Amino acid sequence: MYPPPRKDFIALTLSDQHSRSYNNGKHRRQSCWRKWKQLSRLQRSLILFLLALLLICGLLFYPSFSEQWRDVSDRAVREDWDGDWERGLKPVPPGVGPAVGPAVGPAVGPAVGPAVGPAVGPAVGPAVGPAVGPAVGPAVGLMGVVAMPEVAPTVGPGFLPKVIPEPQRPKVPFLHKSQTKKRLFPNKRGPPRLQDGNESDSQAKPAEKERVEKEDVEKVEEEEEEEKKPLVSWRGAIIEAIQATESPSSAHENDAAMPSVPVKPKDTAPLAPVSVKSVDRLETVREAFRHAWKGYKEFAWGHDELKPVSKSYGEWFGLGLTLVDALDTMWILGLTEEFKEARKWVETELSFSKNVDVNLFESTIRILGGLLSTYHLTGDEMFLEKAKDIGLRLMPAFKTPSKIPFSDVNIGKGIAHPPRWTSDSTLAEVTSVQLEFRELSRLTQDPRYQEVVNEVMRLVHKLPGKRDGLVPMFINTNSGQFTHKGVFTLGARADSYYEYLLKQWIQGGKTEPDLLEDYLVAVEGVKKHLLRTTGPSKLTFIGELNHNRFNPKMDHLVCFLPGTLALGAHNGLPDDHMDLALQLMETCHQMYVQMETGLSPEIAQFNLQPSDGRDVHVKPADGHNLLRPETVESLFYLYRFTKDAKYRDWGWDILQSFNKYTRVPSGGYTSISNVRDPVNPGPRDKMESFFLGETLKYLYLLFSDDMELLSLDQYVFNTEAHPLPIWPSPPI
Ligand code: DMJ
């Protein structure tokens, strides 16, 4: 009835071949043994002696060989790029030539010269070549061909300013360089676990994230049980910590050594009247910073992030992320001692010569951005040297067939790759590294950095698939096309694309019309597709579009928008941008005050129904607060432009809530799981680096009466709150 089972022809064939080859091997082994037996005793002893000698030599010389090999591999990262430069990047785009030409030699020489000396040449080829192929697959095969030569000629006029303006030397005191190499606060709490902690906002896989977060919470609960710490009553513990707040007088101890307002671009600016209230508030921010720093210093020194509840640390890149992200905040807040310690760590301990994968976007905005801004504020060349080092090591990310960068780079090996599950990059990530790389070009007078990021903007500018200026969330690194079309958001994965359109335009002295055009069109797209008002209180909010269906969901991340819109209006863009900024600021404020803890959830759902109920709802999985900065960032911009004191009061309320619900008595602040539960907000045991890099910095600037402190007419803040100078307008 049933046909007989089919013979598996392929399986049989393989089996035959296999057995044949097995027999051959046996014959070979037997004949070898016969030959060995035929040797004289003297011959056999001689061979054994030579083998033993070889083994001993190998053991003796292994350490020095491996050391040399590591050097070569480090240099390979630089050589790889300089090789490309030599091979194809020499032709400088028209307009850049005259300004850059003479400056390139001396500027680049000291930075890369010694590292790529002639001896390295032959060693680099084999070291880098074979490693690239298998790691990134077929996409990389094209790299060698595509390389960089086409970058310069294809850069459109709209994006590349005619010259890279010369950097202006900051007129601020230089710090003494420390000679000591001793590690200040060795933390022996266990080996670093690289790559296990974080995923960027835009890359996080929700299920995985949820699992990790759940584990964190469970771990926290276990520890609470075990240690019987005051955290059993979370709220009580927080109140206790607030009572221990340092008094203003002791907090000012170091003021004589370092001005609390170190950057004074206009020496002649009249002194603003200082209110008692703002002094108190500034001091409270400084105290909050010191408290966070205390935890970091004690339990996480030199590591990426503090886990304040378990009094340990988490690693993401293994590059002291919190410390680097916080450098300029310490300088701005006038925290002299803390800054000096951190500077010493950067000088003596921070090494980018590490076999580690870093996310291009996150390391650019936090590390490169942090180093560049600290260089500008302090004038300390050490920070610029570090910035050049990491900048160069990130460049392989741009070597893709489409020139849309990969998400990840191994900064030790100089190999870039996409995430494991896709060849797509996140749109916000590839379009939010521009401020930093452009500034690096200006400072080094080396156009390569600017060229690769300008090329990304040029490609995205002309790409089909936008909806009235709104962009999809992903872009493919092979084809250079948008993917996952049909979903439009101003939240995770797209947010800072819009922010950087405006900020690049401002940074470049308003000389790049394509950036402005894309920004203006996008704001109209937002108004047309994403803007709605709630039923109960008529709050204006930004929702999402999902294949033509409107979703009344707004990430806290979107609260950057009021500040960005206001910045645009301040720079001459239409007045209705400011009107929208004011309305959205109110909504972001409501996302805080309508919660029982006074802290915003990560994602809010807005109520479109006309009723007298709540405007803001929170899904159980969305009620966490990660100590994010976006709302206080926008409050800072709106206060600067309107001087309306209510924005300061709103910021003050947020700081109080952070102190009440997220402060850990032993040092540090923690993200929490549930902003609707003031009794147990559910500490997550993690202090993100942006709490020090952004949140506390923006709060300080919000409360400062000195409007010239990082004037918004002279600085543009990157998306991690690191201020970079606005370039002087290029000559006509
Ligand atoms: C920061 O790293 C940056 O502000 C980024 O643009 C968005 N996410 C965090 C803060 O929320």
Side-chain angles (χ1 to χ4, degrees):
M1 292 283 282
Y2 296 99
R6 243 163 32 105
K7 223 177 179 183
D8 187 344
F9 174 78
I10 295 176
L12 280 174
T13 310
L14 284 175
S15 154
D16 283 356
Q17 278 178 347
H18 182 71
S19 68
R20 259 201 311 275
S21 93
Y22 176 76
N23 287 341
N24 282 346
K26 197 171 165 188
H27 284 307
R28 267 200 304 273
R29 277 200 295 277
Q30 282 170 355
S31 80
C32 279
W33 177 246
R34 262 202 303 277
K35 278 179 189 154
W36 174 255
K37 296 280 269 182
Q38 284 162 5
L39 295 175
S40 71
R41 178 172 293 202
L42 182 65
Q43 284 171 319
R44 277 190 249 159
S45 310
L46 199 63
I47 289 171
L48 286 174
F49 173 75
L50 284 173
L51 283 174
L53 196 66
L54 269 175
L55 185 69
I56 291 166
C57 288
L59 287 173
L60 282 176
F61 290 108
Y62 173 74
S64 63
F65 274 137
S66 66
E67 190 59 35
Q68 276 180 17
W69 186 250
R70 218 181 54 200
D71 285 353
V72 168
S73 120
D74 287 349
R75 281 176 291 183
V77 175
R78 292 154 188 271
E79 176 68 8
D80 191 28
W81 268 92
D82 288 337
D84 285 341
W85 180 238
E86 285 302 315
R87 282 191 296 277
L89 274 179
K90 280 243 165 91
V92 178
V96 177
V100 176
V104 167
V108 177
V112 291
V116 292
V120 181
V124 169
V128 177
V132 173
V136 281
V140 181
L142 287 170
M143 282 181 184
V145 184
V146 178
M148 302 312 300
E150 292 130 30
V151 170
T154 54
V155 171
F159 285 114
L160 191 62
K162 289 198 177 63
V163 293
I164 304 174
E166 291 281 349
Q168 306 293 299
R169 289 271 157 237
K171 289 194 193 108
V172 285
F174 283 69
L175 292 176
H176 294 296
K177 287 192 181 179
S178 165
Q179 296 302 316
T180 175
K181 294 253 176 206
K182 204 177 126 228
R183 195 188 177 99
L184 266 179
F185 301 98
N187 190 321
K188 298 205 170 109
R189 291 181 160 261
R193 286 174 292 112
L194 294 181
Q195 314 289 340
D196 71 347
N198 292 32
E199 290 179 39
S200 66
D201 293 322
S202 40
Q203 276 195 313
K205 289 176 284 175
E208 175 69 1
K209 251 186 128 180
E210 199 53 40
R211 187 186 60 72
V212 172
E213 283 157 0
K214 216 170 145 206
E215 279 173 9
D216 279 356
V217 173
E218 280 165 7
K219 200 173 162 206
V220 171
E221 284 166 2
E222 274 169 30
E223 298 228 358
E224 283 176 24
E225 273 293 304
E226 198 181 296
E227 294 184 20
K228 300 256 184 292
K229 287 276 154 64
L231 285 172
V232 171
S233 162
W234 180 250
R235 190 173 175 179
I238 297 305
I239 290 167
E240 182 185 286
I242 290 173
Q243 283 164 353
T245 298
E246 204 172 339
S247 73
S249 56
S250 70
H252 272 300
E253 270 166 14
N254 295 314
D255 281 2
M258 185 178 181
S260 63
V261 183
V263 183
K264 274 267 179 203
K266 282 186 191 159
D267 292 339
T268 53
L271 278 179
V274 179
S275 69
V276 177
K277 203 175 180 183
S278 63
V279 170
D280 288 347
R281 288 178 173 183
L282 289 174
E283 205 38 60
T284 307
V285 181
R286 283 157 58 104
E287 191 282 327
F289 187 99
R290 282 203 175 101
H291 182 77
W293 195 247
K294 174 180 182 289
Y296 179 74
K297 189 168 155 181
E298 208 168 325
F299 308 119
W301 183 255
H303 297 285
D304 283 343
E305 285 160 344
L306 169 67
K307 290 161 81 84
V309 181
S310 58
K311 300 179 183 165
S312 62
Y313 58 82
E315 292 290 32
W316 189 4
F317 308 144
L319 298 174
L321 207 56
T322 294
L323 189 150
V324 178
D325 217 359
L327 284 166
D328 57 3
T329 306
M330 286 181 263
W331 185 267
I332 292 162
L333 269 56
L335 300 173
T336 321
E337 290 311 312
E338 291 84 349
F339 181 83
K340 276 188 192 161
E341 281 174 353
R343 184 206 174 277
K344 189 178 279 184
W345 185 87
V346 172
E347 185 182 37
T348 59
E349 303 287 335
L350 178 59
S351 166
F352 299 123
S353 168
K354 270 192 162 180
N355 178 11
V356 64
D357 279 342
V358 304
N359 174 278
L360 169 71
F361 164 73
E362 299 290 358
S363 52
T364 298
I365 65 169
R366 301 185 198 213
I367 299 176
L368 178 57
L371 291 168
L372 287 174
S373 69
T374 309
Y375 164 67
H376 277 296
L377 297 181
T378 61
D380 185 339
E381 296 280 338
M382 186 272 291
F383 293 111
L384 181 57
E385 290 307 313
K386 293 280 180 187
K388 284 187 210 166
D389 189 9
I390 184 70
L392 197 59
R393 288 170 185 275
L394 291 173
M395 287 292 268
F398 295 90
K399 291 167 83 179
T400 67
S402 66
K403 304 200 180 91
I404 298 297
F406 285 137
S407 59
D408 298 279
V409 194
N410 185 307
I411 52 173
K413 292 183 182 166
I415 298 171
H417 59 88
R420 247 171 278 135
W421 59 91
T422 177
S423 57
D424 289 351
S425 283
T426 295
L427 200 90
E429 294 195 355
V430 303
T431 55
S432 309
V433 291
Q434 278 66 14
L435 291 177
E436 300 80 358
F437 277 81
R438 285 156 49 114
E439 178 61 9
L440 191 57
S441 268
R442 193 178 74 99
L443 290 171
T444 58
Q445 291 290 294
D446 178 345
R448 285 177 294 176
Y449 308 105
Q450 172 163 304
E451 283 164 359
V452 290
V453 296
N454 280 347
E455 176 66 357
V456 176
M457 295 313 295
R458 195 188 67 82
L459 292 169
V460 173
H461 171 68
K462 63 176 191 186
L463 208 56
K466 294 181 201 141
R467 177 149 331 163
D468 294 311
L470 303 179
V471 288
M473 295 146 75
F474 295 99
I475 188 164
N476 189 271
T477 50
N478 293 321
S479 67
Q481 300 296 313
F482 291 129
T483 63
H484 300 79
K485 295 179 194 168
V487 181
F488 299 100
T489 174
L490 259 76
R493 297 196 167 100
D495 49 358
S496 43
Y497 161 73
Y498 303 99
E499 178 188 351
Y500 267 36
L501 286 174
L502 178 74
K503 289 184 172 176
Q504 286 177 81
W505 178 68
I506 293 171
Q507 177 193 43
K510 305 181 185 173
T511 58
E512 297 150 285
D514 288 350
L515 293 166
L516 177 61
E517 181 194 322
D518 287 353
Y519 178 74
L520 290 172
V521 173
V523 174
E524 292 312 305
V526 168
K527 287 196 230 163
K528 185 171 169 189
H529 298 290
L530 305 182
L531 209 61
R532 296 283 192 286
T533 47
T534 59
S537 313
K538 304 285 170 249
L539 293 178
T540 303
F541 71 96
I542 309 274
E544 295 183 356
L545 205 59
N546 197 331
H547 298 283
N548 293 322
R549 273 195 58 190
F550 182 77
N551 185 355
K553 149 188 186 277
M554 179 165 148
D555 293 354
H556 182 271
L557 288 168
V558 182
C559 289
F560 81 93
L561 192 60
T564 299
L565 287 168
L567 181 64
H570 177 73
N571 280 279
L573 302 191
D575 286 346
D576 66 340
H577 286 206
M578 192 62 185
D579 299 339
L580 183 55
L582 300 177
Q583 292 165 25
L584 290 172
M585 192 74 261
E586 172 67 38
T587 304
C588 290
H589 169 57
Q590 290 298 326
M591 284 167 63
Y592 282 73
V593 296
Q594 292 195 15
M595 298 299 116
E596 288 77 354
T597 55
L599 292 173
S600 167
E602 175 73 357
I603 300 172
Q605 309 286 333
F606 285 94
N607 182 1
L608 290 168
Q609 303 309 317
S611 68
D612 51 5
R614 278 175 180 272
D615 293 287
V616 187
H617 291 284
V618 183
K619 288 186 177 172
D622 300 338
H624 46 291
N625 181 295
L626 305 183
L627 312 170
R628 287 198 189 275
E630 290 77 18
T631 295
V632 294
E633 168 185 354
S634 283
L635 289 172
F636 156 66
Y637 283 103
L638 287 219
Y639 180 75
R640 280 269 169 118
F641 299 137
T642 67
K643 305 288 182 307
D644 187 336
K646 78 177 178 195
Y647 297 123
R648 284 181 158 183
D649 294 341
W650 294 356
W652 178 243
D653 291 343
I654 292 172
L655 179 57
Q656 306 278 56
S657 290
F658 279 138
N659 270 331
K660 193 166 180 182
Y661 295 106
T662 72
R663 183 171 163 124
V664 179
S666 50
Y669 289 74
T670 178
S671 43
I672 55 171
S673 289
N674 189 357
V675 295
R676 309 223 45 189
D677 186 349
V679 177
N680 182 14
R684 290 186 157 205
D685 195 17
K686 181 158 163 171
M687 185 174 79
E688 299 272 358
S689 79
F690 51 67
F691 183 62
L692 300 189
E694 296 193 71
T695 310
L696 292 180
K697 183 190 290 157
Y698 280 129
L699 281 166
Y700 187 86
L701 293 173
L702 168 66
F703 301 142
S704 171
D705 286 327
D706 184 355
M707 297 298 122
E708 293 304 312
L709 174 57
L710 299 171
S711 156
L712 289 169
D713 295 318
Q714 299 185 31
Y715 289 89
V716 62
F717 286 80
N718 86 340
T719 192
E720 188 75 6
H722 297 303
L724 300 172
I726 294 172
W727 301 347
S729 295
I732 302 161

